[in-house]
Every structure is written in structure tokens, then in C-alpha cells.
Amino acid sequence: MKFAVIVFPGSNCDLDMYHAIKDELGEEVEYVWHDETDLSKFDAILLPGGFSYGDYLRCGAMANQSNVMSEVVKAAEAGKPVLGICNGFQVLTEAGLLPGALLRNKNLKFMCRTVDLQVVNNETQFTSQYKKDEVIQIPIAHGEGNYYCDEETLASLKANNQIVFTYASENPNGSLEDIAGIVNEKGNVLGMMPHPERASNDIMGGTDGLALFKSIVKQWRETHVNHA
Amino acid sequence: MKKVKVYVTLRESVLDPQGSAVMGALHSMNYNEVKDVRIGKFLELQIEESGRDIDTVVKEMCEKLLTNTVIEDYRYDVEEVTSK
């Protein structure tokens, strides 16, 4: 399985993501610069954390205008798994691939610590290797992770079971309904503020993030390899 | 040449923690008559004649990049720039 890690000017979790896929997961992975215009050879697209374009104007706003984003939209429409973490989540909401937006943390502070996350939905292609309602420890590091959407959108997120992760013990940023991660309606685009790639080896303090990447690979193998 | 002033504010339904913090500070300075503070952004654009309708161009730019209409509202003024 071949992963793309999209690199914007100002991305800074691209190396962590690359390491998690290559060394911990043992899959193929390539960095893809933001002006690339073809992602067709990749099976999954990863948008890493960081501060794309300095997060000037709004986080993710200018990254959304880069060439590669129309290809990311194309990949999402084709049903390929697209995962945006932290700044990547912000980019996906700016692109309209996920509903809502990420606001400044309620306490106005940059929050950097490991938090408890509840796996609310383990029936997605990103979470099949977790148990339903399992609580996992994943690091967060963000100043703008306060998920917001209007009431109508929230109702549809609930009705379609699109809320995937919630903060379990404390809500670090004031997000609506403790939301930490959501999928699109089709279930192939996941955005989350916490960093599973930073919890992929014991020396990092935990391995709870690895099952997310394993879930993606498992789904892909089941649909592509077994039917080949 | 036109000068376009774009004012961006968080939508009313969206909490503004920065605004609340500033209001708290103003109250501690005894300006208790302040009942709400909302912090936004102000952008100034210089736009030259292009044959395209300026309102259409400004609205497009606001909705495609300058604001996120999920969380923000905007309004703008267009002023004539007179060269000296």
C-alpha cells in the first residue's frame, strides 16, 4: 500500500508521519510537495500537522488554495482514504471535505500534552482495529482545535455516526460535544486534532496510534489484494 | 484604483474567547458599561480596474479565501483612490 504525505511550506509533522508509515507500519510512503498535480499512484493521502503557510489569515486557509488540494479532493471523491491530522484537519475543513471549522482554543492557550480519547465509532476504515468505546492515549499539540459547527450540521454528524473520536476525561480546547475527530458522510475522509503518528512506538510513550494506521491498511488489503 | 476595506468578524453564534478576555480586562479597569467585545480582522486591498465587476470580485475573494463563512461574517466598503 502506498501512502502520500503532503508537505506544505510550514508542515512540521510530516517526518513523524513518514516515520510511522515506513518504520512502524512497514508500508510504502513518499513525501509530496504542495504544488504536485497528480496523486493517482497513491492509495492513501495523509495531511500532516504543522503551520502551513504560517497559518496566516486562518489556519489551513492558504494551504487549501495550493495545487495539490484539487488532487486531494479528487482522491477523496474516488473513495481513497484521506487522513488529516491537526493542521491537516484544519485544511480539510477549509477545503469543505469535512463540515465545520476549528476555532481558537477556548482557554486561548496552545495545548501540548497526552489526552484520553474515546473511540466512539470503530466501524470506519480508520478505526476498525480499535474496540468500540475504547479509551486510548494520544498526544495533542494545538492552539486552534476547538471544533465548531452549527446545530444542523451537528445533528447530521450524529445521525450519520460521523463523530469518531471524543475527548474522554477532559476537553482541552472547548470543542463542541468534546469532538476530537470526525469523518465525512462517505467515511473515507477523517480529520482529527490529536496525533496518532506520535503514539506509534513505545519510546514515544505509547503505541495507541498505530491501530489507526493498521486499520487503513487492513481495509485496503481486504478490498484490493484479496480481490486481485 | 479602488481601495476596498474588508471587515471580518466571527459569526454571532460563534464564541469569541479573545473578545471575552478583553471584556474582562475592560471590566477590571472599571469600564463596566462594556457589554460585549468581538475581535475581528480588517483587510485593506488596492484593486485596479480590470473590466470585471468589483463587487463580484471582492465577494468571490471573500468567500474563496479571505473569510470562512462557516464561522465568519464579512462586510466591505469600496473607496475611490485619488492620485495626487
Side-chain angles (χ1 to χ4, degrees), chain A residues 168-211:
Chain A
S169 43
E170 52 143 10
N171 182 332
N173 53 35
S175 68
L176 191 67
E177 305 255 332
D178 302 326
I179 288 173
I182 56 168
V183 282
N184 63 344
E185 234 177 288
K186 222 160 68 176
N188 68 311
V189 178
L190 170 69
M192 62 191 293
M193 289 313 298
H195 289 269
E197 80 282 10
R198 293 192 193 176
S200 59
N201 187 307
D202 278 322
I203 58 167
M204 296 171 164
T207 55
D208 284 357
L210 214 45

Side-chain angles (χ1 to χ4, degrees), chain A residues 9-66:
Chain A
S11 294
N12 64 12
C13 299
D14 41 342
L15 277 78
D16 311 49
M17 199 84 111
Y18 186 96
H19 165 80
I21 302 302
K22 185 168 187 280
D23 303 319
E24 305 299 342
L25 205 60
E27 296 293 329
E28 278 185 77
V29 57
E30 271 180 37
Y31 293 117
V32 175
W33 190 232
H34 64 98
D35 57 5
E36 190 59 55
T37 52
D38 184 9
L39 291 177
S40 56
K41 68 174 177 176
F42 296 101
D43 305 306
I45 315 296
L46 308 174
L47 286 87
F51 299 86
S52 53
Y53 297 85
D55 274 352
Y56 299 146
L57 191 65
R58 283 186 315 281
C59 35
M62 281 185 284
N64 179 38
Q65 302 301 326
S66 55

Side-chain angles (χ1 to χ4, degrees), chain A residues 10-227:
Chain A
S11 294
N12 64 12
C13 299
D14 41 342
L15 277 78
D16 311 49
M17 199 84 111
Y18 186 96
H19 165 80
I21 302 302
K22 185 168 187 280
D23 303 319
E24 305 299 342
L25 205 60
E27 296 293 329
E28 278 185 77
V29 57
E30 271 180 37
Y31 293 117
V32 175
W33 190 232
H34 64 98
D35 57 5
E36 190 59 55
T37 52
D38 184 9
L39 291 177
S40 56
K41 68 174 177 176
F42 296 101
D43 305 306
I45 315 296
L46 308 174
L47 286 87
F51 299 86
S52 53
Y53 297 85
D55 274 352
Y56 299 146
L57 191 65
R58 283 186 315 281
C59 35
M62 281 185 284
N64 179 38
Q65 302 301 326
S66 55
N67 281 342
V68 80
M69 280 312 293
S70 52
E71 283 297 299
V72 173
V73 171
K74 224 187 269 177
E77 281 168 357
K80 289 183 186 178
V82 175
L83 167 63
I85 290 170
C86 200
N87 195 221
F89 185 10
Q90 294 160 344
V91 176
L92 291 176
T93 60
E94 282 284 337
L97 288 174
L98 290 171
L102 282 312
L103 300 169
R104 188 99 182 253
N105 291 351
K106 203 174 174 184
N107 64 6
L108 300 172
K109 288 187 179 129
F110 187 93
M111 302 298 281
C112 186
R113 62 171 69 151
T114 297
V115 298
D116 290 337
L117 284 189
Q118 186 169 346
V119 183
V120 181
N121 180 355
N122 73 334
E123 291 172 358
T124 76
Q125 56 181 297
F126 302 96
T127 52
S128 64
Q129 299 305 293
Y130 294 108
K131 293 185 202 70
K132 166 104 179 115
D133 294 327
E134 183 177 347
V135 173
I136 57 175
Q137 274 87 45
I138 305 284
I140 56 162
H142 60 251
E144 284 163 285
N146 177 356
Y147 182 79
Y148 168 85
C149 65
D150 59 29
E151 280 176 31
E152 199 183 323
T153 308
L154 180 64
S156 79
L157 285 178
K158 286 181 175 171
N160 301 320
N161 213 7
Q162 287 173 254
I163 301 171
V164 177
F165 296 109
T166 55
Y167 299 108
S169 43
E170 52 143 10
N171 182 332
N173 53 35
S175 68
L176 191 67
E177 305 255 332
D178 302 326
I179 288 173
I182 56 168
V183 282
N184 63 344
E185 234 177 288
K186 222 160 68 176
N188 68 311
V189 178
L190 170 69
M192 62 191 293
M193 289 313 298
H195 289 269
E197 80 282 10
R198 293 192 193 176
S200 59
N201 187 307
D202 278 322
I203 58 167
M204 296 171 164
T207 55
D208 284 357
L210 214 45
L212 190 149
F213 299 106
K214 284 181 177 164
S215 303
I216 301 174
V217 174
K218 181 170 183 282
Q219 168 88 15
W220 186 82
R221 293 227 195 287
E222 278 170 5
T223 47
H224 291 81
V225 180
N226 297 349
H227 299 111

Side-chain angles (χ1 to χ4, degrees), chain B residues 23-42:
Chain B
M23 183 167 74
L26 290 171
H27 285 174
S28 73
M29 295 158 71
N30 276 327
Y31 295 109
N32 292 310
E33 54 271 64
V34 178
K35 290 304 165 208
D36 195 22
V37 178
R38 308 283 289 174
I39 294 181
K41 288 176 208 159
F42 173 62

Side-chain angles (χ1 to χ4, degrees), chain B residues 46-82:
Chain B
Q46 304 270 352
I47 300 181
E48 60 178 18
E49 303 293 337
S50 68
R52 291 201 281 178
D53 177 54
I54 190 157
D55 285 303
T56 311
V57 169
V58 172
K59 279 180 196 161
E60 267 180 25
M61 291 192 296
C62 282
E63 282 168 34
K64 283 185 185 167
L65 177 67
L66 301 181
T67 76
N68 178 343
T69 53
V70 173
I71 47 170
E72 292 169 328
D73 287 324
Y74 69 90
R75 63 186 172 82
Y76 63 89
D77 301 326
V78 180
E79 287 172 15
E80 201 68 50
V81 179
T82 44

